[in-house]
Amino acid sequence: PVQKEFILSSLKELGITTLMCGDGTNDVGALKQAHIGVALLSAQAARQVEKQEEMRKKQIEAKKNNAMKRFGMGQYLEQQKQAERERKKALKAERESKWDDDEAQPMSGEDLQKKMWDQLMGQLEGDDEQGGMDGDMMEVKPVQLGDASIASPFTSKRSTIESTIHIIRQGRCTLVTTLQMYCILALNCLISAYSLSVLYLEGVKFGDRQMTITGMMIAALFFFVTQSEPTFYLSEQQPHKSVFCAYIVLSLAGQSVTHLYTLMCAVAWSKPHTPTDEETR
C-alpha cells in the first residue's frame, strides 16, 4: 500500500494526470492520492449486481407478457416459452453426454479445467432458473460495497477496469461541451453588445416580446449543446484543458472579426433603405 501511494504521489509531482483502480483496503491510500479513483466491486458483489439486473429484466418481461396476454397473445407466449425450455434441455443433455464421454477416457489438465468450468456454469444457470421460478418471492439484497468505494469518487459495478474507458469518454465529452458553451457565450455577448449599440445610436430598442423570444432561443441552443454524447472510440488527440490557450483564443478572435465585419456590412447596406424621421411621421 505504501509503495502504491508513493508511485501515485511521484507521478502527480511530475505533472501527470493519474487514475487508480482498486478493490480492497490496501488501495485506499493510492485512491486518495490519484486524481481519479475508481473502486471495483469484488467478484461476488459483481455477481450479485448482475443477478439484480437479471431479476429486474425478468420482472419487466413478466409485465410485458401479462400485457400481451390481455390482448389475446397468450398462446404465442406459451409457444415461445416451450421452445426456450426445449433449447435449454437440449443444451443440458449435450453437456451431460459430453461429460460422460470424457469420463470414459483420461483427460488432460486443460480438459479437466474446462469440464469444471462447464459444471460451474451449469450450476449457476440452475440457480438462475430457480430464482426465476421464485419470482417476486425472492428478496433483493443490497450490494455491500468494499472499503475502496469510501476513498474513491467512482464505483464500478463490475470487477474489471472497463469503466475507466467510460470515465475518460464522459470526461472528454464534458470538457469539450463546456469549452464550446464558453465560446458561444463570448460570441453571443459580442454580437448583442454591437447590435444594441447600433440600435441605441439609431434611437431604436428591442421590445419586451423580442427580448423574450431571443432569450428563449438562446437557452434552447445551449440546451441542445448540452445533449451531446461522447464518441464510442477514443481519439488520439486530447481536448484542450482551458479556454485560455492559443487555439481557442485565435479561434475566438477570428470568429469575432468575421461576425463584426458581417454586422457592419449589414448595417451599411440597410442604412439607405431605413426610413427617416419625417417619413415615419
Side-chain angles (χ1 to χ4, degrees):
V2 178
Q3 293 177 349
K4 295 178 183 180
E5 188 174 353
F6 174 74
I7 292 173
L8 266 297
S9 59
S10 301
L11 292 174
K12 287 177 65 177
E13 290 177 357
L14 295 176
I16 300 175
T17 305
T18 57
L19 186 148
M20 174 68 185
C21 296
D23 59 351
T25 310
N26 57 345
D27 300 322
V28 172
L31 288 170
K32 288 183 177 181
Q33 287 293 332
H35 291 94
I36 305 171
V38 182
L40 305 177
L41 294 181
S42 61
Q44 183 179 2
R47 179 62 185 170
Q48 188 176 353
V49 171
E50 292 178 0
K51 281 190 175 182
Q52 290 181 4
E53 291 292 332
E54 291 175 1
M55 288 181 61
R56 186 179 63 84
K57 291 179 180 179
K58 287 179 180 178
Q59 290 176 358
I60 295 174
E61 188 70 22
K63 292 181 180 179
K64 187 190 300 183
N65 294 340
N66 292 333
M68 294 178 70
K69 286 180 181 179
R70 294 176 186 173
F71 292 97
M73 301 182 66
Q75 186 177 1
Y76 173 76
L77 291 175
E78 291 297 331
Q79 292 177 359
Q80 294 292 328
K81 290 181 180 179
Q82 184 66 24
E84 185 67 19
R85 284 194 289 267
E86 294 294 335
R87 187 183 68 84
K88 288 185 177 180
K89 286 181 180 179
L91 290 175
K92 187 176 181 181
E94 182 181 356
R95 192 184 294 118
E96 290 178 354
S97 63
K98 185 178 179 181
W99 291 344
D100 295 337
D101 295 339
D102 292 341
E103 288 177 356
Q105 55 185 357
M107 292 185 297
S108 62
E110 183 178 356
D111 294 337
L112 180 61
Q113 185 178 5
K114 186 178 180 182
K115 178 183 176 182
M116 294 175 64
W117 175 256
D118 291 339
Q119 290 178 351
L120 178 61
M121 293 303 296
Q123 293 176 1
L124 292 176
E125 289 178 1
D127 295 340
D128 291 341
E129 291 177 1
Q130 184 178 2
M133 291 172 61
D134 292 342
D136 296 335
M137 298 291 291
M138 190 174 187
E139 208 178 287
V140 179
K141 299 180 180 179
V143 179
Q144 298 294 333
L145 301 179
D147 297 332
S149 61
I150 301 174
S152 57
F154 299 99
T155 300
S156 175
K157 292 183 178 180
R158 299 183 179 181
S159 57
T160 61
I161 60 173
E162 181 185 0
S163 58
T164 57
I165 301 177
H166 300 298
I167 292 174
I168 295 174
R169 289 171 59 238
Q170 295 290 343
R172 286 188 176 185
C173 178
T174 304
L175 180 59
V176 171
T177 304
T178 305
L179 293 178
Q180 288 179 351
M181 291 181 66
Y182 279 130
C183 294
I184 294 172
L185 185 62
L187 292 174
N188 180 50
C189 293
L190 178 66
I191 295 172
S192 300
Y194 183 81
S195 302
L196 292 175
S197 300
V198 172
L199 292 175
Y200 177 77
L201 293 176
E202 296 294 332
V204 182
K205 67 176 182 178
F206 283 123
D208 295 339
R209 187 175 299 176
Q210 291 176 322
M211 294 297 294
T212 303
I213 294 174
T214 304
M216 293 177 64
M217 292 178 63
I218 293 173
L221 292 176
F222 276 110
F223 175 75
F224 291 141
V225 171
T226 57
Q227 297 303 307
S228 59
E229 296 182 356
T231 57
F232 184 76
Y233 296 102
L234 288 175
S235 175
E236 296 181 359
Q237 184 178 2
Q238 297 181 1
H240 299 281
K241 299 180 180 179
S242 174
V243 182
F244 302 102
C245 63
Y247 177 82
I248 295 180
V249 170
L250 291 176
S251 176
L252 279 175
Q255 294 183 58
S256 300
V257 171
T258 304
H259 281 82
L260 286 176
Y261 177 75
T262 304
L263 291 172
M264 291 172 66
C265 291
V267 171
W269 293 336
S270 62
K271 273 190 176 182
H273 305 283
T274 303
T276 60
D277 295 338
E278 297 179 356
E279 294 176 352
T280 55
R281 289 178 182 176

